[in-house]
């Protein structure tokens, strides 16, 4: 009976995985099809005449590298700032003993209940007043503060024994040294998790760059992909190949940081 239950769990798990991966495989394989194969009836799963011309057009005609450079700059800078801000804020909220910090934390937590659309208007007003409209920094600064990251780091730092910090203070370490040389190394797994989420959020972001950018040369990949869908025609071959290319960096980041999550020692520096 136990083996039967285990087998059913595996069957269900593989079924869910197949349902999820089927559209992704269809997208991947369709990106190698010439235009006349995309809408043939009946539809075919495998390309009959596979071609790499779609990817060549995406890199040449679509100016893919330019848009990728813009997106990479926004994503990397915003992710690094997000990790630093979330780590420092989470550490302060978890380890500093001030009554008003709890009030501040719950006020910050309450902001997660607000829809993003509610704060777009005031955020854009501040952005425009600061002269950051139509600049890549205008896509970075409004997105670096995320309560999700602060909450994640705070919950981890709460589990770190206070004795570890007190021992470092007795040894003469200041607050900056404690945070940089003790706290950061032991929360590598949380940083990896936040890095994955932050990278994915910024890389796939569409709404905020749509509001903050006007010049086509500064477009991110998601905005540029929209230009391939015209009112009367859609360049499906370039759209499919470009969509596949946009998935590769996110997949690479996930593979790198997922390995660090599995191998990181969350209890490093803490003796039982």
């Amino acid at each position: 009976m136990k083996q039967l239950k285990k087998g059913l769990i595996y069957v269900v798990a593989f079924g869910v995985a197949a349902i999820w991966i089927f559209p992704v495989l269809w997208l991947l394989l369709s990106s190698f099809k010439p235009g006349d194969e995309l809408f043939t009836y009946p539809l075919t799963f495998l390309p009959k005449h596979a071609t790499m011309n779609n990817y060549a057009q995406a890199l040449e005609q679509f100016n893919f590298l330019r848009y990728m450079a813009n997106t990479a700059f926004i994503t990397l800078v915003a992710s690094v700032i997000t990790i630093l801000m979330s780590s420092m804020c989470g550490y302060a909220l978890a380890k500093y003993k001030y009554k008003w910090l709890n009030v501040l934390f719950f006020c910050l937590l309450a902001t997660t209940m607000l829809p993003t659309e509610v704060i777009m208007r005031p955020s854009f007003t501040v952005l425009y007043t600061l002269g950051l409209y139509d600049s890549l920094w205008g896509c970075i600064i409004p997105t670096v503060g995320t309560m999700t990251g602060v909450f994640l780091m705070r919950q981890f730092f709460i589990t770190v024994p206070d004795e570890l910090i007190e021992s470092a203070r007795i040894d003469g370490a200041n607050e900056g040294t404690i945070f940089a040389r003790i706290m950061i190394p032991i929360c590598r797994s949380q940083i990896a998790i936040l890095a994955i989420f932050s990278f994915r959020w910024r890389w796939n972001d569409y709404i905020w760059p749509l509001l903050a950018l006007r010049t086509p040369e500064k477009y991110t990949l998601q905005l540029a992909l929209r230009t391939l869908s015209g009112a009367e025609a859609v360049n499906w071959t370039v759209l499919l190949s470009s969509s596949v290319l946009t998935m590769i960096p996110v997949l690479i980041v996930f593979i790198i940081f997922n390995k660090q999550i599995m191998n990181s020692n969350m209890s490093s520096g803490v003796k039982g």
Side-chain angles (χ1 to χ4, degrees), residues 165-204:
I165 301 175
E166 294 299 329
S167 298
R169 288 171 179 166
I170 293 174
D171 292 337
N174 57 35
E175 295 302 313
T177 302
I178 294 173
F179 176 77
R181 302 187 64 178
I182 299 177
M183 294 295 106
I184 291 298
I186 67 177
C187 68
R188 286 176 297 178
S189 58
Q190 279 66 34
I191 290 177
I193 294 171
L194 183 57
I196 292 174
F197 281 111
S198 180
F199 191 94
R200 184 177 61 84
W201 292 334
R202 276 70 185 191
W203 189 267
N204 294 326

Side-chain angles (χ1 to χ4, degrees), residues 113-127:
M113 303 177 187
L114 295 174
T116 304
E117 293 76 9
V118 173
I119 62 175
M120 279 186 175
R121 174 64 181 272
S123 297
F124 180 81
T125 302
V126 173
L127 179 74

Side-chain angles (χ1 to χ4, degrees), residues 95-146:
K95 292 304 178 184
Y96 290 164
K97 308 302 180 182
Y98 299 104
K99 293 182 179 180
W100 59 268
L101 278 179
N102 290 329
V103 178
L104 176 62
F105 172 69
F106 285 111
C107 290
L108 292 174
L109 195 61
T111 61
T112 61
M113 303 177 187
L114 295 174
T116 304
E117 293 76 9
V118 173
I119 62 175
M120 279 186 175
R121 174 64 181 272
S123 297
F124 180 81
T125 302
V126 173
L127 179 74
Y128 188 83
T129 304
L130 294 176
L132 295 176
Y133 177 64
D134 197 29
S135 69
L136 297 184
W137 283 101
C139 296
I140 295 173
I141 295 178
T143 64
V144 294
T146 168

Side-chain angles (χ1 to χ4, degrees), residues 258-271:
N258 183 63
K259 183 178 180 180
Q260 292 188 8
I261 293 173
M262 299 301 295
N263 295 337
S264 62
N265 185 2
M266 296 176 58
S267 61
S268 60
V270 182
K271 295 182 179 180

Side-chain angles (χ1 to χ4, degrees), residues 204-221:
N204 294 326
D205 192 13
Y206 174 77
I207 296 298
W208 189 250
L210 179 63
L211 295 176
L213 298 176
R214 179 181 58 191
T215 306
E217 289 75 16
K218 298 178 182 179
Y219 277 2
T220 62
L221 281 171

